[in-house]
Amino acid sequence: MEMMDLLKLLGILIVIIGFALKLDSILIIVVAAVVTAIVSGLGVEGLLETFGESFVSNRSMAIFILIMLVTGTLERNGLKNAAAALIGRFKRASAGMVVGAYGIMRGIFAAFNVSFGGVAGFVRPIIMPMIDGAIKAQGHEPNEDHVEELKGMASGMENIAWFFCQVLFVGGAGGLLVQSTLEPLGYHVELIDLALVEIPIGIFALIVGIVYYFLRDKKLTKKYYGTDK
C-alpha cells in the first residue's frame, strides 16, 4: 500500500527532473499527467474524461490550453527567431527595456482581463527570445547566468503587472473578492470605485517594477559583459 502511494508521486518526480534538465515544459507536464493517471489506476481514458469534465466546468482552462497549443505551434514554426529579429532592429534596446515594455503592455491588457498565457505561454516563447535579441544587438553573446536572471525578472514583471492591474477590470475575480470580503464587515463598495482606487496603485507598482528591473539589468550587464551600455 505504501509503495502504491509512492508511485502516485511519480508525476512530481518527473516534473522535478524534467525542469532540472531544462526539457520542454509542456512535454514534461503532459508526460507527468499521463504517468500519474496510469499508476493511480485512472488510466488514459479516465484522464481524458477528467480533462473533458474540467473543460466543461471551467472554460478558462480550455482557453489556456488552446493558447498553449497555438503558441507551441507558432514557436515550432519560427516564432522565437521572428521575435529575436524584431528586437534586434533596435540597437539601443536593452534586456531591461524589453522587460519594462512588456510590463506596460501586460498591465494595459490585464486591465481588460486579457491573458496571453502567462510565463509559459508568452514570456518563454516570445519575451525571452526578444531579450536574447536585445543582448546580441548590443554586441554581446548572452551569458547563461545573465539569461537565468532575466528569466526571473521577466516572470516577476508578469506577476507584478497581472496582480496589480487585473483588478482594474470591473467584475474581475480580484475586485469581486475584495467586495465580498468587505461586505460582511459592513463596508459596501461598488466595483467601479474599487477600480478607480486601484488605478494609481497599479501605475505606481508598474513604475517601481520597471525602474527596479531596468537598474538591475544595467548592473548585471556591467557584471557579465564589462559595460552597462
Side-chain angles (χ1 to χ4, degrees), residues 18 32 38-39 43 45 54 58 61 67-68 110 146 159 178 180 208 221 228:
I38 293 175
V39 299
E45 183 178 348
S54 299
N58 188 0
M61 176 65 72
I67 291 175
M68 294 287 286
H146 185 208
N159 291 333
V178 174
S180 61
V208 171
T221 300
D228 58 355

Side-chain angles (χ1 to χ4, degrees), residues 52-207:
E53 292 176 352
S54 299
F55 289 157
V56 172
S57 60
N58 188 0
R59 289 176 175 78
S60 61
M61 176 65 72
I63 294 174
F64 172 76
I65 296 296
L66 288 174
I67 291 175
M68 294 287 286
L69 292 174
V70 171
T71 302
T73 302
L74 293 174
E75 183 178 353
R76 186 175 182 178
N77 288 276
L79 180 63
K80 283 186 176 182
N81 296 332
L86 174 63
I87 199 65
R89 298 177 182 177
F90 302 92
K91 302 301 181 182
R92 294 184 177 274
S94 66
M97 291 179 181
V98 174
V99 173
Y102 174 63
I104 295 174
M105 182 191 73
R106 190 70 184 89
I108 293 174
F109 280 91
F112 294 95
N113 204 33
V114 177
S115 176
F116 300 115
V119 175
F122 198 84
V123 172
R124 176 184 172 276
I126 298 180
I127 300 302
M128 288 312 301
M130 293 180 71
I131 286 175
D132 285 343
I135 296 175
K136 292 177 181 178
Q138 292 185 316
H140 308 303
E141 188 63 28
N143 179 282
E144 184 177 352
D145 293 332
H146 185 208
V147 172
E148 290 298 316
E149 292 274 3
L150 289 167
K151 287 180 181 179
M153 292 163 60
S155 301
M157 195 75 256
E158 157 74 23
N159 291 333
I160 291 172
W162 177 251
F163 183 85
F164 286 99
C165 295
Q166 58 95 13
V167 292
L168 298 179
F169 180 74
V170 178
L176 291 172
L177 176 62
V178 174
Q179 186 185 54
S180 61
T181 301
L182 293 177
E183 190 71 33
L185 299 176
Y187 299 97
H188 176 72
V189 292
E190 298 294 338
L191 292 174
I192 186 63
D193 293 330
L194 290 175
L196 291 175
V197 170
E198 179 61 25
I199 290 176
I201 298 174
I203 294 175
F204 180 76
L206 279 179
I207 292 175

Side-chain angles (χ1 to χ4, degrees), residues 4-5 7-10 33-43 47:
M4 289 300 298
D5 291 337
L7 285 176
K8 293 178 181 179
L9 300 176
L10 187 59
V34 173
V35 171
T36 302
I38 293 175
V39 299
S40 63
L42 185 62
L47 176 64

